[in-house]
Amino acid sequence: MKLVEAIIKPFKMDEVKDALNEIGIEGITVSEVKGFGRQKGHTELYRGAEYVVDFIPKIKMEIAVPDELVNKVVETIENTAKTGRIGDGKIFIIPLEEAVRIRTGEKGTDAI
Amino acid sequence: MKLVEAIIKPFKMDEVKDALNEIGIEGITVSEVKGFGRQKGHTELYRGAEYVVDFIPKIKMEIAVPDELVNKVVETIENTAKTGRIGDGKIFIIPLEEAVRIRTGEKGTDAI
Amino acid sequence: MKLVEAIIKPFKMDEVKDALNEIGIEGITVSEVKGFGRQKGHTELYRGAEYVVDFIPKIKMEIAVPDELVNKVVETIENTAKTGRIGDGKIFIIPLEEAVRIRTGEKGTDAI
Amino acid sequence: NDEILSRARASFIGMAIGDALGATVEFLTATEIQHKFGTFKEIVGGGWLRLKPGQVTDDTQMALCIARAITTAGGWSLEGIAQNFAAWLQSRPVDCGDTCRKGIRAYMLHGHLEVPPSKWDAGNGAAMRLLPAALYAFPDKELLSKYVVEQAHLTHNSPLSDAACINLGELLHLALSGASKNRLRRRVDNLTEEFPAFSFTPYHGLASGYVVDTLQTVFHWFFKGRSFEECLVGTVNQGGDADTTGAICGMLAGAYYGMEGIPARWIKKLDQKVLAELEQVTPLLLKARP
Ligand SMILES: Nc1ncnc2c1ncn2[C@@H]1O[C@H](COP(=O)(O)OP(=O)(O)O)[C@@H](O)[C@H]1O
Ligand SMILES: Nc1ncnc2c1ncn2[C@@H]1O[C@H](COP(=O)(O)OP(=O)(O)O)[C@@H](O)[C@H]1O
Ligand SMILES: Nc1ncnc2c1ncn2[C@@H]1O[C@H](COP(=O)(O)OP(=O)(O)O)[C@@H](O)[C@H]1O
Ligand SMILES: [Mg+2]
Ligand SMILES: [Mg+2]
């Protein structure tokens, strides 16, 4: 299993979530984060306003995924989260050794 | 070492923390997250208006744990965080290659 | 590649960020977290009653790093984030199997 | 006999006073203390643990765990000590060192009564709490070595920590039997011969939790001071791990200067519940001696 961590532009969240739902992915954990990137002092559009700032609000999505779904999940996020403009974000793949569904005690892929 | 990541219902946090304290675990990093999963949207009252949201506030706990403690920690979280109702949450076990205590430079299990 | 996760004292963030910029690290994802550990929270007066808030606000920084830079990054964070007082924080090294730059589709170290 | 009991009481009370006094300035540097307090010499609580005036910390609390285990069992019981440590940790103490926590946790989860050797175990956590073991073993050197090291290895297993415990224990025995400062100084010189790390001439002003720094600071100020108050004030104003350097200096200076040497104002300021328990348990420890 893998933990897929995606840092994306906030306005893309619903789109990415829906696209993931389409391929059968339902379970997602989301947090609000601040992003610092290569482009120092670049401008970004956020809520209609242009920002020249050091950090930009981002959304971090964590999705535990069985190995055989990882590529599809990455591809889906890439395609939906992409605008082609600076700051689109990153996807990180982290090994997930074990997962547990607290409600039932199920382990492994049954848990996610 | 492992990084144990637990996504749980917010009202369960103190209970889980206390249960971990009972087994000598004190160091925990907590963040507020939003969960999307089988537990579907609920209605929320906000400024007098009711509206449906399809995410649920969750708490994410990160606990770096020496290997020999992982099972006890997972078991403790499972038992305390569980209500048996949908949305109880998940526990993820991620490999932790190295840990450092910034104050002292200690590494490995001495750091956590 | 590794995902370097650093939990540090909030007032140290800019200093750590600048020090990382100095060694060529630009991409950082930051979140506000609550820390529980040996450093205890403060007491607060609420509706006339004193109660202990037993967490301390911390900053979590996530930095995806190519293997050959990990030691330098860890050392840099250690040196800048350290005050020698309880609560300086932790650095965790997590294996990073894959990284993708969403804007360009670049993978691996080119992505970070 | 009465002389021994009086010095034993003074040692235990001196330790608690050193703990409560030093805790206010724990983690401050000597300069910071100077700026904030001038010469710091009153029990006022506060500090990073936000203590009430007279409140003691893990140093005294862990010592009481050992004392209670001995008096409850009517003799040496390592298991009893470990159980008391575990109950104490679960009671959410005001503070607990990282190394102590690790060892107590290992006992709670696996029943281990000895941690594996580790270079990171050269902290002062085992030395700070050994007084009851020293009192219970008095005046037997063999038993002293056995007991202080056994209790130490519950959390700390390192040659430096062991050496610190054994030598601190022997110094306490000497002080309890009324030895002169020169006699004590000669004993310390033996230690620094065998372990040059502990040498404190010249004194470098290091007062961290590293047991070497801790004992250097305690020895420097104990031999420099000409009264219980002078020894303790000098020690805690060095800052660093001040509650523990204070506790260790307090137990040594207490045994040496006796009850008459301890300022009444400090005894009054000390947590009276703790004081009562110290007074109650000390004669029991001496009586329980093998
Ligand atoms: N090495 C990295 N480690 C962690 N997060 C990163 C890293 N590089 C970039 N990020 C995150 O991705 C976001 C976008 O990166 P940025 O460099 O601005 O543009 P691009 O995504 O076009 O390369 C940043 O705001 C930050 O949150
Ligand atoms: N595959 C997953 N990856 C990451 N987080 C998940 C995943 N599945 C569920 N979650 C998190 O766990 C929470 C609970 O999951 P949910 O499916 O609602 O119920 P249950 O815990 O009973 O299975 C979600 O709100 C979400 O935060
Ligand atoms: N085992 C752990 N797992 C995850 N986070 C931890 C762990 N231990 C400590 N932390 C984090 O590090 C912070 C500092 O730890 P603390 O014990 O207060 O002091 P120190 O940094 O001196 O070790 C905590 O507030 C918490 O956020
Ligand atoms: Mg203490
Ligand atoms: Mg101390």
Side-chain angles (χ1 to χ4, degrees):
Chain A
M1 292 171 291
K2 307 291 174 201
L3 191 61
V4 177
E5 188 175 299
I7 320 283
I8 62 170
K9 285 173 169 162
F11 80 86
K12 279 289 185 175
M13 186 178 84
D14 288 343
E15 211 175 318
V16 172
K17 200 171 64 53
D18 294 344
L20 287 170
N21 289 158
E22 305 249 330
I23 61 169
I25 300 285
E26 233 177 9
I28 305 169
T29 298
V30 166
S31 28
E32 296 169 7
V33 297
K34 292 184 173 70
F36 299 81
R38 280 189 198 180
Q39 275 63 26
K40 311 261 353 108
H42 64 293
T43 55
E44 256 194 36
L45 225 44
Y46 180 62
R47 292 188 175 159
E50 247 202 16
Y51 270 60
V52 182
V53 274
D54 222 4
F55 76 78
I56 308 289
K58 300 285 174 191
I59 283 291
K60 176 165 93 173
M61 301 177 110
E62 286 172 88
I63 312 136
V65 176
D67 291 342
E68 61 275 11
L69 282 184
V70 175
N71 293 340
K72 190 100 202 77
V73 166
V74 170
E75 180 191 310
T76 305
I77 299 173
E78 260 192 273
N79 297 340
T80 21
K82 177 190 181 124
T83 68
R85 285 194 299 288
I86 207 91
D88 276 352
K90 299 278 182 286
I91 304 172
F92 301 132
I93 318 275
I94 295 157
L96 186 53
E97 286 184 6
E98 186 55 284
V100 182
R101 185 190 305 277
I102 292 173
R103 173 168 48 93
T104 61
E106 286 164 291
K107 285 179 166 31
T109 47
D110 292 327
I112 58 182
Chain B
M1 293 171 291
K2 307 292 173 202
L3 191 62
V4 177
E5 188 174 296
I7 318 285
I8 62 170
K9 285 173 168 160
F11 80 86
K12 280 289 187 175
M13 185 177 85
D14 288 343
E15 212 176 318
V16 173
K17 207 171 58 53
D18 292 347
L20 288 170
N21 286 159
E22 295 272 317
I23 61 171
I25 302 276
E26 203 185 30
I28 303 168
T29 297
V30 166
S31 24
E32 296 168 5
V33 296
K34 292 182 172 71
F36 298 80
R38 285 183 198 182
Q39 185 186 13
K40 282 301 162 225
H42 62 299
T43 52
E44 250 183 36
L45 221 46
Y46 181 65
R47 295 187 172 160
E50 234 197 31
Y51 63 101
V52 181
V53 275
D54 63 347
F55 69 79
I56 311 283
K58 300 284 173 192
I59 283 290
K60 174 164 94 173
M61 302 177 108
E62 286 173 86
I63 312 139
V65 178
D67 292 341
E68 65 273 11
L69 285 186
V70 175
N71 292 342
K72 192 96 199 89
V73 167
V74 170
E75 178 192 311
T76 304
I77 300 173
E78 259 191 274
N79 296 343
T80 20
K82 176 190 182 124
T83 68
R85 284 192 302 287
I86 207 93
D88 276 352
K90 301 275 181 284
I91 303 172
F92 300 133
I93 317 276
I94 296 156
L96 187 53
E97 286 184 5
E98 187 55 286
V100 182
R101 185 189 306 276
I102 292 172
R103 171 168 52 96
T104 60
E106 284 164 292
K107 283 178 165 34
T109 49
D110 291 313
I112 59 184
Chain C
M1 292 173 290
K2 307 292 173 201
L3 191 61
V4 177
E5 187 174 299
I7 318 284
I8 62 171
K9 285 173 169 161
F11 79 88
K12 280 287 187 176
M13 186 178 84
D14 288 342
E15 210 177 319
V16 173
K17 200 172 64 51
D18 293 345
L20 286 171
N21 290 159
E22 306 247 329
I23 61 168
I25 300 284
E26 295 271 339
I28 305 169
T29 297
V30 166
S31 29
E32 296 169 7
V33 295
K34 293 184 170 73
F36 296 82
R38 198 170 159 201
Q39 184 187 16
K40 296 292 164 240
H42 59 293
T43 50
E44 251 176 34
L45 219 46
Y46 181 64
R47 295 186 172 162
E50 229 196 37
Y51 66 98
V52 179
V53 176
D54 62 350
F55 68 80
I56 307 271
K58 301 284 175 193
I59 283 289
K60 174 164 94 173
M61 301 178 108
E62 287 173 87
I63 312 137
V65 177
D67 292 340
E68 61 275 8
L69 282 185
V70 174
N71 292 343
K72 191 99 202 76
V73 167
V74 170
E75 181 191 310
T76 304
I77 299 173
E78 259 191 272
N79 296 342
T80 21
K82 177 189 181 128
T83 68
R85 305 242 223 274
I86 301 279
D88 275 352
K90 301 276 181 281
I91 302 173
F92 300 133
I93 317 273
I94 295 155
L96 186 52
E97 285 185 4
E98 189 54 286
V100 182
R101 184 189 306 276
I102 293 173
R103 172 167 49 94
T104 60
E106 285 164 290
K107 283 177 166 35
T109 48
D110 293 327
I112 59 182
Chain D
N1 71 53
D2 294 343
E3 171 72 0
I4 306 292
L5 173 56
S6 170
R7 289 183 181 279
R9 289 170 58 226
S11 184
F12 221 152
I13 292 170
M15 176 210 187
I17 286 174
D19 184 0
L21 180 69
T24 304
V25 293
E26 188 182 4
F27 289 119
L28 299 185
T29 64
T31 322
E32 285 169 331
I33 297 172
Q34 172 63 231
H35 286 155
K36 189 169 183 186
F37 300 96
T39 296
F40 173 70
K41 56 188 173 68
E42 299 310 330
I43 295 179
V44 293
W48 78 282
L49 292 174
R50 299 194 198 90
L51 301 167
K52 301 193 215 5
Q55 188 178 350
V56 295
T57 75
D58 50 337
D59 309 67
T60 307
Q61 291 173 337
M62 290 186 86
L64 281 170
C65 286
I66 297 174
R68 290 185 205 115
I70 295 171
T71 53
T72 306
W76 185 253
S77 165
L78 194 59
E79 184 77 42
I81 295 172
Q83 279 165 5
N84 285 0
F85 282 173
W88 168 75
L89 183 60
Q90 287 169 322
S91 75
R92 318 286 204 90
V94 69
D95 189 27
C96 175
D98 298 320
T99 311
C100 284
R101 170 177 295 274
K102 233 178 126 196
I104 298 172
R105 194 166 58 200
Y107 169 73
M108 287 190 322
L109 297 178
H110 311 298
H112 295 329
L113 289 176
E114 181 173 30
V115 294
S118 160
K119 71 172 193 232
W120 288 106
D121 284 0
N124 55 28
M128 75 191 188
R129 64 195 190 221
L130 61 67
L131 178 59
L135 293 178
Y136 175 67
F138 181 79
D140 187 324
K141 271 175 69 128
E142 304 259 309
L143 285 182
L144 172 72
S145 267
K146 171 169 154 53
Y147 293 149
V148 299
V149 169
E150 261 184 37
Q151 68 83 25
H153 286 188
L154 283 170
T155 58
H156 291 65
N157 188 343
S158 116
L160 278 174
S161 168
D162 288 353
C165 289
I166 293 169
N167 284 273
L168 181 57
E170 291 192 13
L171 284 170
L172 286 166
H173 278 198
L174 284 172
L176 287 167
S177 31
S180 71
K181 252 200 195 181
N182 284 335
R183 180 71 192 81
L184 293 172
R185 184 53 192 257
R186 286 201 298 282
R187 184 66 193 73
V188 170
D189 292 342
N190 292 152
L191 167 62
T192 52
E193 256 176 61
E194 193 187 348
F195 288 89
F198 288 107
S199 166
F200 55 100
T201 51
Y203 176 57
H204 300 299
L206 302 174
S208 80
Y210 177 40
V211 76
V212 164
D213 293 351
T214 299
L215 287 196
Q216 282 178 4
T217 292
V218 169
F219 292 153
H220 171 75
W221 291 107
F222 174 70
F223 289 110
K224 189 163 188 231
R226 292 152 308 169
S227 71
F228 179 90
E229 176 157 1
E230 264 187 40
C231 295
L232 191 51
V233 168
T235 298
V236 301
N237 277 270
Q238 203 63 53
D241 196 356
D243 62 323
T244 304
T245 54
I248 296 176
C249 177
M251 69 176 86
L252 193 52
Y256 179 76
Y257 291 103
M259 285 304 296
E260 328 73 68
I262 301 181
R265 76 180 192 285
W266 282 350
I267 298 183
K268 266 200 279 294
K269 257 316 192 40
L270 185 59
D271 179 334
Q272 295 299 297
K273 272 190 66 187
V274 170
L275 179 60
E277 181 165 11
L278 296 177
E279 292 283 29
Q280 183 248 7
V281 82
T282 305
L284 294 178
L285 280 173
L286 293 175
K287 225 161 73 230
R289 282 180 293 164

